[in-house]
Amino acid sequence: MAAAGWLRRAASAVALPRMPSGLTIMPAPPPAPLPEAQSLVLPGLGAAIAPAMELMAVPKKKISKYKRGLRNGPRALKPVPVIVRCRCCGRVKLPHFYCCSGEKGNAGDSSS
């Protein structure tokens, strides 16, 4: 019992800061030392690779041209209509070509 009183007196000698609620603030433990970075040695390269290098995903099998075509088919370019109608006269013409310049009536006449 005498040892317990001595320990209590020694603990009270070290003043720890107290919060208004009466809780004692304990000092934070020192940070743990970081483990040293381990390097990855590959037999073909002969040199160590940096530990920050991440390994990437690799497909298990080669995808055939047929399967790749099925997957990428909807993404293909769609054919553009090569023949369009003029908005004014209704004639069939190529896109971005001159037809009647928006004149109603005689679409083929350009004499006036």
Side-chain angles (χ1 to χ4, degrees):
M1 288 303 235
W6 174 82
L7 188 60
R8 198 175 303 124
R9 282 192 303 271
S12 65
V14 177
L16 293 175
R18 293 189 173 264
M19 294 183 70
S21 64
L23 297 175
T24 305
I25 300 174
M26 298 300 293
L34 297 174
E36 292 191 24
Q38 297 181 5
S39 60
L40 176 65
V41 178
L42 296 178
L45 299 177
I49 298 177
M53 180 180 164
E54 298 168 0
L55 299 176
M56 297 187 62
V58 179
K60 287 189 175 183
K61 290 185 184 178
K62 179 180 178 181
I63 297 174
S64 67
K65 293 177 185 177
Y66 175 75
K67 295 277 188 178
R68 189 174 62 213
L70 286 178
R71 186 180 69 236
N72 295 333
R75 293 187 215 153
L77 291 174
K78 306 297 184 267
V80 178
V82 180
I83 298 174
V84 295
R85 293 199 171 268
C86 178
R87 287 188 219 157
C88 298
C89 63
R91 282 186 169 178
V92 176
K93 69 178 190 85
L94 292 173
H96 306 288
F97 274 69
Y98 175 79
C99 177
C100 61
S101 182
E103 300 171 0
K104 299 265 183 182
N106 297 336
D109 291 342
S110 59
S111 59
S112 349

